[in-house]
Amino acid sequence: MKAIYWILLTGAGSVIYLCRNPLIDMAKTLTSEELSRNFRLYEFLRSDTADKLGATEQYNPPAIVLQNLKHLAGELQIVRDLYGKAMPVTSGYRCPVVNKAV
């Protein structure tokens, strides 16, 4: 069986995300909010497991989670500024569906 991938393009024609599910792509675009100078919300929410499960709730966390992620990004920004180099985020939040699956 062939996999179908969806590509979301910017106005300039460049690819933003490549994913199997267009709803997930839309959610990822909406979570591109900047939490600090060097950290974006999507970095803390991204999840291969959520993408595989089609768990769009991963990309629409409750307000308290957003507040906590903004605080975390602010603290990580301090560390990044002291370190002087990029710091990749590999995990920041799992919605209940994703958390149960892993």
Side-chain angles (χ1 to χ4, degrees):
M1 183 165 95
K2 289 185 177 181
I4 298 173
Y5 286 88
W6 301 84
I7 300 172
L8 185 62
L9 302 174
T10 65
S14 59
V15 174
I16 296 177
Y17 299 107
L18 179 65
C19 182
R20 291 180 176 201
N21 185 330
L23 293 175
I24 298 289
D25 276 337
M26 181 67 72
K28 288 177 182 177
T29 302
L30 295 174
T31 59
S32 63
E33 174 187 344
E34 188 176 277
L35 297 178
S36 72
R37 189 173 54 251
N38 296 106
F39 295 101
R40 303 262 183 281
L41 179 57
Y42 175 68
E43 293 179 89
F44 292 86
L45 300 180
R46 69 177 169 209
S47 166
D48 290 338
T49 303
D51 293 351
K52 289 174 188 171
L53 295 173
T56 56
E57 59 269 26
Q58 173 67 25
Y59 301 102
N60 188 23
I64 188 68
V65 171
L66 291 175
Q67 182 180 352
N68 289 337
L69 290 176
K70 286 179 183 180
H71 178 74
L72 175 61
E75 297 298 314
L76 287 174
Q77 185 64 52
I78 294 168
V79 174
R80 189 205 186 279
D81 291 344
L82 290 170
Y83 183 57
K85 296 181 182 178
M87 296 171 37
V89 175
T90 58
S91 182
Y93 169 74
R94 290 183 190 152
C95 69
V97 172
V98 173
N99 202 42
K100 186 176 180 180
V102 294

